[in-house]
Amino acid sequence: MERLVRSCYKQGGYVFAKKAGAPAHGEGDMRVARLASNENPEPPSPAAIAAAQAAILGANRYPDERVDVLVSALRAHYGEYTFVTGVGMDGVIETLMRTLVDPGETVAVSTPTFSFYGLAGQAQGAKVIPVPRRADFSVDTGALVRAGKDAKIVMLCTPNNPTGNATPVKDIQKVLEGIGGVLFLDNAYIEFSGIDYLPLLRKYENLVIGRTFSKVHSLAGLRIGYAFVPAWLQPFYLRAGTPFTVNSVSAAAAAAALTDKGHAARYITQVTAWRKRFSDALTYPVLPSDANFVLVDVAPHTSDEVVEKLATRGVLVRSCRSFTGLDDHYIRVSIGEDWENERFVRELNAL
Ligand code: PMP
């Protein structure tokens, strides 16, 4: 019966990071350092937990389909922009593809990058065109514009997963002005950079900026994301979305998380300090990062080899083998708690 399955799903899907539960550390410390998925190691803000607890009491009712509690909180936080929400930023990306892309149309992706863009495009029947970055992982804006002339959507991650670097605003402007469709800027890690792309929304009506509560806000398990969209797009996005996609507990928690600035600030301080400590302390080259992770060049080892060895020493990091367009000698390491980062430094240097 497998012949009935669409060919894009016979070929494979999203490659997940290694899970906790791998062999723990041999020195009597049974905790596993979880540095594979770029999560904030701190539990959610107490405000978010309280809001989720209150919201679950009303979970016998369907949620508000416009997710007003969260959209209002986003407006209070950022100002009068137009927002859409989704089940993680992944859900936003999926719904955006569904809104704009017909089978056979083109989605251009600046690579190497987060793999879900290509998978979401394929699911929509799109022709997915990878546009390689330069050797230093900066965006080749000329090539992206050329590929984007006939594309419905151009996908660009900044700061980029897994390379960590952010793209300058002027390069983003060049892309916005040169392409024929929408530019989706993935800002999952924007809070860890000093860059602000929001002013571009006032000038360009082909810009969508995706964000998530999975990273700095410690809500990865509640699956909630959002995007700043041009006003023309919002009604169509709402039509294309699965009814009642965002659940009431996640929406309430996310709205409350935005009010706890101290929670986010603590992790941003930790990230800034450890980006420098990683590059000072590691004996392998560390690429400059604007995100809450770093890419480490582990040559002459391969990424899988290092990931497996570190796992046996109680440290989970991300193999970069599955990132199309990236050579097989990089690992991606999230910034976690001090003990996790310290163990990672010790164990990698000892390899
Ligand atoms: N974009 C990027 C660049 C990511 O790294 C991730 C998560 N790893 C996502 C989007 C998806 O985020 P979410 O958890 O909100 O679906």
Side-chain angles (χ1 to χ4, degrees):
M1 295 304 282
E2 283 177 15
R3 67 188 161 79
L4 299 176
V5 175
R6 291 176 63 198
S7 58
C8 60
Y9 295 117
K10 286 184 185 149
Q11 289 157 14
Y14 187 80
V15 179
F16 292 91
K18 245 181 147 36
K19 291 277 184 301
H25 198 233
E27 292 172 14
D29 182 350
M30 295 305 286
R31 293 177 299 177
V32 174
R34 297 175 63 164
L35 306 179
S37 298
N38 304 337
E39 300 142 332
N40 183 338
E42 199 180 310
S45 152
I49 293 171
Q53 283 171 331
I56 204 168
L57 297 176
N60 55 313
R61 301 294 178 191
Y62 279 101
D64 164 26
E65 70 275 14
R66 299 186 77 92
V67 204
D68 232 8
V69 65
L70 178 55
V71 170
S72 309
L74 288 166
R75 290 228 173 88
H77 191 78
Y78 290 110
E80 287 302 308
Y81 294 95
T82 307
F83 293 97
V84 297
T85 58
V87 179
M89 199 201 303
D90 290 341
V92 173
I93 292 166
E94 198 168 54
T95 303
L96 185 68
M97 297 271 183
R98 227 196 274 179
T99 311
L100 298 179
V101 181
D102 269 324
E105 292 186 327
T106 301
V107 172
V109 180
S110 174
T111 57
T113 196
F114 185 50
S115 67
F116 187 65
Y117 310 145
L119 295 168
Q122 267 179 12
Q124 213 45 46
K127 195 163 68 179
V128 178
I129 308 221
V131 183
R133 288 171 174 251
R134 299 193 187 93
D136 65 355
F137 299 127
S138 62
V139 172
D140 185 341
T141 49
L144 198 57
V145 164
R146 280 193 296 282
K149 287 259 186 259
D150 299 319
K152 265 291 172 72
I153 312 184
V154 173
M155 304 295 294
L156 199 167
C157 188
T158 173
N160 188 38
N161 176 6
T163 57
N165 58 317
T167 302
V169 173
K170 66 173 186 351
D171 288 354
I172 300 300
Q173 270 180 292
K174 265 188 225 159
V175 177
L176 283 164
E177 285 168 14
I179 61 174
V182 162
L183 174 66
F184 183 87
L185 270 196
D186 181 330
N187 277 184
Y189 303 101
I190 194 71
E191 293 88 349
F192 309 107
S193 78
I195 295 201
D196 182 8
Y197 300 106
L198 295 186
L200 297 175
L201 289 161
R202 303 283 180 218
K203 188 161 173 210
Y204 297 96
E205 57 171 17
N206 60 341
L207 174 62
V208 174
I209 297 182
R211 299 272 181 99
T212 179
F213 283 89
S214 298
K215 309 298 176 186
V216 77
H217 293 297
S218 293
L219 293 175
L222 290 190
R223 311 300 304 119
I224 187 133
Y226 62 100
F228 298 80
V229 296
W232 64 265
L233 180 59
Q234 187 225 30
F236 301 106
Y237 178 101
L238 294 177
R239 250 185 233 175
T242 306
F244 305 116
T245 301
V246 170
N247 74 74
S248 45
V249 175
S250 298
L258 279 177
T259 64
D260 189 344
K261 299 204 170 64
H263 177 274
R266 264 195 306 283
Y267 184 46
I268 292 167
T269 304
Q270 170 82 345
V271 165
T272 313
W274 271 97
R275 282 194 303 228
K276 177 160 178 9
R277 282 183 69 179
F278 275 159
S279 47
D280 290 347
L282 289 170
T283 53
Y284 295 87
V286 177
L287 277 74
S289 171
D290 299 298
N292 68 333
F293 56 83
V294 292
L295 193 68
V296 184
D297 184 348
V298 293
H301 308 290
T302 67
S303 32
D304 278 358
E305 202 180 307
V306 172
V307 168
E308 289 304 321
K309 281 193 180 148
L310 289 176
T312 63
R313 292 159 171 78
V315 182
L316 301 182
V317 301
R318 183 70 147 104
S319 164
C320 291
R321 190 166 58 85
S322 62
F323 287 93
T324 308
L326 192 64
D327 291 339
D328 189 21
H329 52 83
Y330 291 101
I331 55 168
R332 193 195 68 198
V333 186
S334 316
I335 290 163
E337 293 183 46
D338 289 345
W339 71 267
E340 296 179 292
N341 307 333
E342 280 157 9
R343 189 194 287 173
F344 162 70
V345 168
R346 196 169 63 238
E347 297 295 351
L348 183 69
N349 283 346
L351 280 189

